[in-house]
Amino acid sequence: MPIEITMPALSPTMEEGNLAKWLVKEGDQVTAGDVIAEIETDKATMEVEAVDEGTVAKIHVPEGTEGVKVNAVIAVLAEDGEDVSSAAAAPAAEAPQPQKEPEKANTSQATTTGQSQTTESPPPSTPTNPDKGSRVFASPLARRIAQQSGIDLSTITGSGPHGRIVKSDVENISPGAAIPDPSKQVEIASSHAHSTSPVAAMPDDQVLAFYEEENYELLPHDNMRKTIASRLTESTQTIPSYFLSMDCELDALLALRKQINASAAVDENDKPVFRVSVNDFVIKAMALALRDVPLANASWISSARVLHKHSDVGVAVAIPDGLITPIIRNAETKPLSIISNEMKDLAGRAKDKKLAPSEYQGGSTAVSNLGMFGVSNFTSIINPPHASIISIGAGEEKPVIRDGAIATATVMTVTFAFDHRVIDGALGAQLAGAFKGYIEKPMGMLV
């Protein structure tokens, strides 16, 4: 009997995915374990393997299709000896079609009983070609040019979106060719006032019309951008956050880092087998601080606080036009050299969108480091289900007071964001102090 291939659930929370690419075509023979397709989630591209052998009888979901529901049938295999045509005709769940460009709304609608067509009025927000006595829709630049040139906009037919008058329409009219209609001036001024309202309050089509005089490119939201927007909006709207900042001196850490890297073994190509970064120390220090302050190593759910047994530390990694937070698991138990190599591997695969969901989901905290870009200090948004995130600024040489005298030190500003539902102020300060202690006395991270 036909074997249905369904959209897999690549994570416990996955509801749909994009079928990015088919690696087989109808009529191909496949065996169990063959990679047959690539599926895109919000953060990764995963390979789909065949679980049975047979012939690809029918591909129900073409590549490039977005929003394919989990467990929807995407293809059908015919078993050995089975008629391929009959297998292809097997019923399958309806799959979404590849996304198409949105079509313009049809302003006429036929009745279902064969009556004559009736014309609907366009929605109030949709500009129309101006007639005498109707509102004039024009871009701000077109209005300004018309006003300076003494041109009555109501006499011009616009060539922009939905009949909107644009710069070129006004420039093609000779100055003085049209005498301003005084009855229109109040309406034009009112319309101009609306056109300069905050762009964020406009519908999408009006925003594009607002920018029509400028050069721009539309960059459609991919799944990652939608997820980033959704989760961080959720965070700012639902998590009562507060922030703590403190300065940490780095001189002892930098000296220890130099010694560790100098003592690293080399491989067959005479290259060090690891190279510890300041960020690796930060990850380790945060992991140990969470171990020392276990009530802060927690997440929030509606019925309880979830206390984590290990320090699973997320690390924000910038990838092309996006962000992902792979997790260093059990970071409090790992040497700096292991953390360093794991981080390099995770960051490299993150940029290629090759992380498995288990490698970027979970944890209780995260590290965001912009110090390498010269940023002195900043605050980050907590990424649920985490209850904290630490923002790392650049190490800068600053004057400090030691034993009543002025000295210099390399100082790094760190800022903690805490979910107040989970971590109260005093507990947050305790965690921040533990972190500072490990950063300023880094030998404690080696024992």
Side-chain angles (χ1 to χ4, degrees):
M1 60 181 297
I3 302 167
E4 295 182 343
I5 301 173
T6 59
M7 169 64 76
L10 303 178
S11 70
T13 59
M14 177 177 168
E15 297 181 354
E16 61 182 33
N18 301 338
L19 205 159
K21 184 178 181 181
W22 280 108
L23 302 179
V24 295
K25 59 184 183 298
E26 291 180 0
D28 284 356
Q29 295 284 333
V30 298
T31 59
D34 286 351
V35 178
I36 60 174
E38 292 181 354
I39 303 296
E40 287 183 351
T41 65
D42 55 340
K43 296 292 182 70
T45 300
M46 306 295 292
E47 295 176 339
V48 177
E49 297 180 356
V51 295
D52 292 285
E53 61 181 23
T55 303
V56 181
K58 181 68 175 178
I59 291 177
H60 287 282
V61 179
E63 64 181 34
T65 301
E66 298 184 359
V68 184
K69 298 295 184 182
V70 168
N71 295 326
V73 177
I74 59 176
V76 175
L77 292 183
E79 294 182 314
D80 288 342
E82 184 178 12
D83 180 54
V84 172
S85 60
S86 63
E94 183 178 351
Q97 298 300 313
Q99 276 197 339
K100 298 179 180 179
E101 291 296 322
E103 299 178 356
K104 293 183 179 179
N106 191 351
T107 58
S108 63
Q109 180 179 355
T111 64
T112 58
T113 59
Q115 297 174 357
S116 60
Q117 293 182 337
T118 58
T119 302
E120 297 180 354
S121 299
S125 62
T126 304
T128 59
N129 285 330
D131 298 319
K132 219 40 171 168
S134 64
R135 179 179 173 183
V136 177
F137 291 91
S139 70
L141 182 57
R143 292 184 185 282
R144 187 165 64 250
I145 295 173
Q147 187 177 30
Q148 294 171 351
S149 304
I151 295 174
D152 181 5
L153 289 175
S154 66
T155 65
I156 301 175
T157 299
S159 62
H162 306 293
R164 189 182 180 90
I165 300 171
V166 297
K167 173 185 175 184
S168 59
D169 298 326
V170 180
E171 289 179 335
N172 291 333
I173 301 294
S174 301
I179 301 174
D181 181 354
S183 66
K184 283 288 183 181
Q185 299 310 302
V186 173
E187 187 171 7
I188 291 174
S190 174
S191 178
H192 178 71
H194 286 294
S195 70
T196 55
S197 299
V199 174
M202 299 180 183
D204 284 356
D205 60 339
Q206 290 189 22
V207 172
L208 295 180
F210 185 88
Y211 288 125
E212 67 192 6
E213 312 297 349
E214 305 177 21
N215 292 323
Y216 63 83
E217 176 186 0
L218 290 181
L219 187 61
H221 304 313
D222 59 15
N223 278 2
M224 176 175 289
R225 183 55 50 190
K226 291 176 183 176
T227 299
I228 290 172
S230 173
R231 291 178 64 80
L232 297 187
T233 299
E234 174 194 355
S235 176
T236 56
Q237 291 179 345
T238 64
I239 295 180
S241 303
Y242 69 96
F243 305 94
L244 300 178
S245 294
M246 60 174 51
D247 290 338
C248 300
E249 294 186 19
L250 290 180
D251 296 285
L253 185 151
L254 295 175
L256 179 59
R257 171 178 177 257
K258 185 176 181 179
Q259 293 177 32
I260 291 174
N261 287 337
S263 64
V266 296
D267 59 19
E268 62 274 10
N269 297 318
D270 204 33
K271 292 184 178 180
V273 295
F274 65 84
R275 183 171 178 78
V276 176
S277 68
V278 172
N279 204 54
D280 299 327
F281 278 95
V282 169
I283 296 168
K284 179 74 171 183
M286 190 62 175
L288 292 173
L290 289 170
R291 181 201 64 184
D292 295 349
V293 188
L295 277 178
N297 190 17
S299 300
W300 173 268
I301 60 174
S302 60
S303 59
R305 281 177 293 170
V306 180
L307 300 181
H308 298 262
K309 297 297 184 182
H310 289 284
S311 300
D312 296 335
V313 181
V315 184
V317 174
I319 61 177
D321 195 34
L323 178 73
I324 194 168
T325 309
I327 308 289
I328 302 292
R329 306 284 178 186
N330 303 339
E332 82 282 8
T333 68
K334 294 177 177 176
L336 287 161
S337 59
I338 298 298
I339 290 175
S340 177
N341 286 337
E342 279 193 18
M343 197 61 242
K344 288 181 176 65
D345 171 62
L346 290 169
R349 289 190 290 115
K351 292 176 181 178
D352 294 330
K353 290 192 172 182
K354 295 297 183 183
L355 292 180
S358 61
E359 293 177 306
Y360 59 81
Q361 293 179 345
S364 64
T365 193
V367 171
S368 181
N369 190 341
L370 295 180
M372 68 284 291
F373 298 107
V375 176
S376 298
N377 62 82
F378 65 104
T379 58
S380 299
I381 299 174
I382 296 171
N383 183 27
H386 298 169
S388 63
I389 187 170
I390 182 172
S391 306
I392 306 297
E396 300 174 327
E397 193 169 5
K398 295 182 179 181
V400 296
I401 304 296
R402 290 182 183 152
D403 299 326
I406 297 177
T408 59
T410 303
V411 178
M412 173 180 75
T413 300
V414 299
T415 302
F416 293 82
F418 292 119
D419 182 344
H420 212 317
R421 299 172 303 176
V422 182
I423 303 173
D424 294 326
L427 185 63
Q430 187 180 351
L431 181 69
F435 173 85
K436 178 182 174 76
Y438 283 113
I439 292 294
E440 296 191 341
K441 297 178 180 178
M443 289 296 295
M445 294 190 235
L446 305 184
V447 298

